[in-house]
Amino acid sequence: MEKNAYLFSSESVTEGHPDKICDQISDAVLDTILKDDPDGRVAVETLVTTGMVIVTGEVTTETYVDIPKVVRRVLKDIGYAEAALGFDHESCGVLTAIQRQSPDIARGVDTGGAGDQGLMFGFATRETPELMPLPISLAQRITRKFSELRKAGTLKYLWPDGKSQVTVEYVDGKPERVDTIVMSVHHRHGVSLDRIKRDLTRLIVRNPDIIPQNLVDRRTRILVNPTGRFEVGGPVADTGLTGRKIIVDTYGGSAPHGGGAFSGKDPSKVDRSASYMARYIAKNVVAAGLADACEVQLAYAIGVREPVSVKVTQGRGATVPDGVLERAIRKTFDLTPAGIIKTLDLKKPIYLKTAAYGHFGRHEKSFTWEHTDKVDALAKNVKKEMGR
């Protein structure tokens, strides 16, 4: 029988990519508010372009935030700290246009309901130790390494912007090899493409901590700065907006996305908090050995506490019917907005870290939705449902 082989690709971008700059600024404003006002309501959007940062949105809080100061701190920390980049933290203009949250929305949230309607997805798979799809996991490792090499001074010619894309060949549903690695790095003027290729191949492609070497073979294509150079980057080359990298933020296209962005939103917004809960559920399902892969959809109506639907789709290796698992999930996890916030401890200034290199598959302590502490309770409730 002929094997079922196919290619699947995922991409990542660095913290200096214009869209990611915006996500980080929006989440930095959110963190600053939550530090003093855990009950603050925040929905902040950011735009960056040549010489300009615009921060807008709806905020209801009892604290004060010096938004221009936050913006300039984030830009400096990312690496936009010299005029040669064409955009830097000291010379850029910062405009703000902030208003209060609509009282019509607040009515629903204040009583414990969801702040809006919407659908959210979570996903987990055994492809990697962190239970993430392999293509996005590798792409995120690569862009994170770009930043490490730049900030450590190992490759002094690197600048903050950059992208990666990894294509994995699957055979019968399992990752077999890496087919293509694309690396686009923002660099100083006058650095040869040959030098960049040599450095990135040695420090990233041949680095087993980044790419498992058993997945790289003589047919693997390595594409570095495919246009030949990447000297003009960041907001000078590309206008950035909050929430434009939602697939980069999640599962790299391996699972559906409800469409709502995360950054700049406080946890009363189910776009963010319910997506974290859906990942938490899916990861515990896979960690419990109930399936090799699991996709969870949650859906909410504005002002309503309980989700209007919970849908589980399991991949290969499923040990119980989807309907049984759905009922066990409802018994194991509190899916109300207030319950999600309490379970995952979300009223803390933890969000700036999430705004680059993915919201999932991370090992930081504050990423509570990555915990697998519900495995035993979930398995117990599954057993009960199977015995009904």
Side-chain angles (χ1 to χ4, degrees), residues 262-285:
F262 302 157
S263 290
K265 296 177 182 177
D266 74 82
S268 74
K269 278 71 174 176
V270 286
D271 278 343
R272 180 170 220 158
S273 56
S275 294
Y276 291 172
M277 177 56 85
R279 162 65 175 174
Y280 183 51
I281 296 169
K283 190 171 183 181
N284 275 272
V285 168

Side-chain angles (χ1 to χ4, degrees), residues 120-385:
M120 303 84 205
F121 289 89
F123 185 68
T125 173
R126 292 194 188 283
E127 290 181 17
T128 62
E130 59 272 22
L131 304 185
M132 287 288 287
L134 182 63
I136 187 64
S137 181
L138 296 181
Q140 300 284 24
R141 289 183 205 173
I142 290 171
T143 51
R144 186 183 286 272
K145 191 63 176 179
F146 291 166
S147 179
E148 291 176 5
L149 294 171
R150 172 174 60 88
K151 291 185 173 183
T154 306
L155 298 181
K156 297 182 184 299
Y157 57 77
L158 290 182
W159 271 343
D161 200 355
K163 289 185 173 184
S164 70
Q165 184 170 286
V166 176
T167 301
V168 172
E169 181 179 346
Y170 285 76
V171 177
D172 293 334
K174 296 182 178 181
E176 186 80 9
R177 55 182 290 274
V178 173
D179 183 80
T180 306
I181 300 171
V182 182
M183 296 180 286
S184 297
V185 291
H186 187 197
H187 60 87
R188 295 180 184 273
H189 175 71
V191 183
S192 73
L193 182 58
D194 285 342
R195 179 184 175 187
I196 297 172
K197 284 182 177 179
R198 286 196 307 270
D199 288 344
L200 296 187
T201 299
R202 174 174 57 89
L203 295 169
I204 293 179
V205 179
R206 304 304 177 196
N207 184 342
D209 292 332
I210 308 298
I211 310 289
Q213 295 302 287
N214 64 304
L215 297 177
V216 179
D217 57 30
R218 58 183 179 81
R219 294 184 294 140
T220 300
R221 292 189 300 167
I222 312 300
L223 304 177
V224 177
N225 284 6
T227 68
R229 70 183 184 194
F230 188 177
E231 295 178 0
V232 180
V236 174
D238 184 16
T239 296
L241 290 169
T242 298
R244 268 207 309 210
K245 287 292 177 283
I246 58 177
I247 302 303
V248 170
D249 285 342
T250 53
Y251 308 101
S254 292
H257 196 294
F262 302 157
S263 290
K265 296 177 182 177
D266 74 82
S268 74
K269 278 71 174 176
V270 286
D271 278 343
R272 180 170 220 158
S273 56
S275 294
Y276 291 172
M277 177 56 85
R279 162 65 175 174
Y280 183 51
I281 296 169
K283 190 171 183 181
N284 275 272
V285 168
V286 174
L290 298 172
D292 291 338
C294 179
E295 175 189 299
V296 176
Q297 187 207 56
L298 304 176
Y300 291 83
I302 189 167
V304 179
R305 296 186 185 187
E306 294 289 342
V308 296
S309 68
V310 178
K311 179 69 174 70
V312 180
T313 305
Q314 301 175 80
R316 65 173 69 214
T319 60
V320 297
D322 290 349
V324 169
L325 185 54
E326 288 167 18
R327 293 195 298 272
I329 285 169
R330 285 184 178 269
K331 287 187 174 181
T332 307
F333 301 90
D334 186 342
L335 301 180
T336 65
I340 293 171
I341 290 170
K342 181 179 179 180
T343 299
L344 300 180
D345 198 15
L346 297 179
K347 286 190 176 184
K348 291 183 176 180
I350 59 174
Y351 298 103
L352 178 55
K353 285 184 179 181
T354 70
Y357 309 114
H359 292 245
F360 306 119
R362 305 273 291 274
H363 300 297
E364 286 90 339
K365 183 179 179 181
S366 59
F367 285 58
T368 52
W369 47 94
E370 293 297 314
H371 295 172
T372 53
D373 53 343
K374 293 291 187 179
V375 165
D376 292 341
L378 181 60
K380 183 178 180 180
N381 283 325
V382 164
K383 188 175 180 180
K384 287 181 179 179
E385 289 299 319

